[in-house]
Amino acid sequence: MIRILLVDDQTLVRQGIRSLLSLPEADGLEVVAEASDGQQAVAMVPEINPDVVLMDMRMPVMSGLEALQTLTRLGQLPPTIILTTFDDDQLVLAGIKAGARGYLLKDVSLEQLVGAIRTVAGGGSLVQPAVTQKLLSGLEHMQTEFASLDRPDPLTERETEILRLMAGGYSNKEIANTLGVAEGTIKNHVSNILSKLGVRDRTRAVLKALEAKLV
């Protein structure tokens, strides 16, 4: 059984996620406790010892970022997934620097939620290791490494969708399976994305997209 601590100041969000994780498709997962702010989460983690924490970032009293930083400093941070919305890119970057294993959008599907929880509980990450390492080094140190256009060419809706999956650490094959297309098609899209962003690899593409708030 994977034991989960759910941290979010919105009661409806907590109820919704708890309801999802009580469905048969989430067998083996259990929300064992809830917290409505970061301070409560910091106090509960050593008592409950959850396998996974789902952490909102914008909360009263103590934010999710502050909670992540505190638990990391204390050496008590469990595998943690940030719960976020599209306009929280900078917080996501800061959260990953603070030790989070990745992030999920709050409107994520049950299949994605369950898969993400099982991944981090098993020691995995939702962010490519190379990206995580760059983030830990500080995004500001990467800015001079971009040999790219000041304003990237606009991405298509499909390219943006693929870029989000790339940011989640998915391989070309996994993206192809997710979208139901051939792997070669995804490779072509990735090449177009790199060209439009003016970068030479996937890591820089994801970092530039996050910095420019393209995803």
Side-chain angles (χ1 to χ4, degrees):
M1 183 66 68
I2 298 175
R3 304 168 67 256
I4 301 161
L5 170 60
L6 177 55
V7 188
D8 197 297
D9 64 317
Q10 298 182 42
T11 303
L12 286 177
V13 171
R14 296 199 309 272
Q15 290 177 342
I17 293 176
R18 179 183 280 275
S19 295
L20 283 174
L21 295 180
S22 67
L23 295 173
E25 294 88 339
D27 183 50
L29 278 59
E30 180 185 5
V31 176
V32 294
E34 299 179 16
S36 60
D37 61 61
Q39 190 174 78
Q40 289 181 7
V42 170
M44 295 172 92
V45 163
E47 295 179 5
I48 299 168
N49 194 27
D51 299 307
V52 174
V53 176
L54 298 179
M55 179 83 75
D56 184 25
M57 296 299 278
R58 299 183 184 276
M59 295 182 290
V61 185
M62 178 185 282
S63 70
L65 177 58
E66 291 171 320
L68 280 167
Q69 293 169 335
T70 300
L71 289 167
T72 296
R73 186 168 60 250
L74 295 172
Q76 297 177 338
L77 181 66
T80 299
I81 299 172
I82 295 170
L83 296 176
T84 184
T85 54
F86 281 131
D87 60 356
D88 278 344
D89 291 338
Q90 295 306 312
L91 275 179
V92 167
L93 291 171
I96 291 173
K97 287 182 183 181
R101 295 284 183 87
Y103 66 94
L104 290 174
L105 300 177
K106 288 188 178 180
D107 60 355
V108 68
S109 71
L110 174 59
E111 182 180 6
Q112 291 170 321
L113 177 61
V114 170
I117 291 171
R118 288 176 176 159
T119 294
V120 300
S125 170
L126 305 181
V127 182
Q128 293 181 33
V131 175
T132 303
Q133 191 58 50
K134 295 296 186 183
L135 290 172
L136 290 174
S137 300
L139 182 61
E140 63 276 5
H141 300 308
M142 284 288 293
Q143 292 176 346
T144 57
E145 295 183 25
F146 289 124
S148 59
L149 301 174
D150 290 335
R151 294 185 178 182
D153 291 335
L155 301 178
T156 65
E157 184 175 344
R158 177 46 66 98
E159 287 168 349
T160 300
E161 185 178 18
I162 291 171
L163 189 53
R164 286 175 184 149
L165 290 170
M166 288 166 58
Y170 291 88
S171 67
N172 285 348
K173 183 176 181 180
E174 290 169 332
I175 294 173
N177 290 338
T178 299
L179 299 181
V181 299
E183 186 176 353
T185 300
I186 299 301
K187 288 181 179 178
N188 290 336
H189 280 303
V190 171
S191 294
N192 290 338
I193 291 168
L194 298 184
S195 176
K196 287 184 176 182
L197 294 179
V199 295
R200 62 178 181 269
D201 57 48
R202 293 166 64 105
T203 297
R204 286 175 173 78
V206 170
L207 284 170
K208 181 154 190 180
L210 289 171
E211 182 186 19
K213 298 188 177 182
L214 298 177
V215 297

